[in-house]
């Protein structure tokens, strides 16, 4: 079964997610922004979700993570789920 590791930032609005993505693209640290802005308890770890199996996350999140190539490290999103809007940094998929 496929596995992945990722960091994420969860916010309420798409505009907030886009603003944070712009900061990341200009060089802001993803983990620092997660600690400051994310609504997810993972924010204490800089948004680190650890390793998870395909199908373990809500469908839109899961699809976004496993759609990427395993050698790409970039920010995906915003990805809308029932929890809000996610920015996702995939560390690896295997």
């Amino acid at each position: 079964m496929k596995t992945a590791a990722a960091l994420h930032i969860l916010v309420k609005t798409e505009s907030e997610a886009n603003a944070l993505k712009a900061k990341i693209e200009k060089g802001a640290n993803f983990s620092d922004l997660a600690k400051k802005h994310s609504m997810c308890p993972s924010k204490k770890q800089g948004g680190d979700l650890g390793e998870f199996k395909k199908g373990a996350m809500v469908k839109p999140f899961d699809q976004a993570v496993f759609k990427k190539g395993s050698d790409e490290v970039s920010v995906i999103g915003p990805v809308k789920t029932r929890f809000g809007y996610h920015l996702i940094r995939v560390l690896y998929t295997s």
Side-chain angles (χ1 to χ4, degrees), residues 23-91:
K23 288 182 181 185
I24 293 163
E25 289 170 349
K26 290 180 181 174
N29 182 280
F30 191 98
S31 293
D32 290 344
L33 290 176
K35 287 177 184 176
K36 188 173 181 182
H37 297 282
S38 185
M39 301 183 312
C40 181
S42 70
K43 75 182 195 174
K44 292 177 184 174
Q45 294 82 37
D48 191 350
L49 296 170
E51 187 175 274
F52 51 91
K53 293 182 191 256
K54 186 171 184 172
M57 301 294 180
V58 292
K59 192 170 185 173
F61 189 100
D62 199 63
Q63 288 175 333
V65 168
F66 288 99
K67 182 177 181 182
K68 291 202 46 68
S70 60
D71 58 346
E72 297 177 54
V73 178
S74 62
V75 178
I76 305 168
V79 175
K80 186 179 189 316
T81 70
R82 65 179 184 222
F83 301 107
Y85 291 86
H86 304 260
L87 293 178
I88 307 165
R89 172 162 278 159
V90 178
L91 302 177

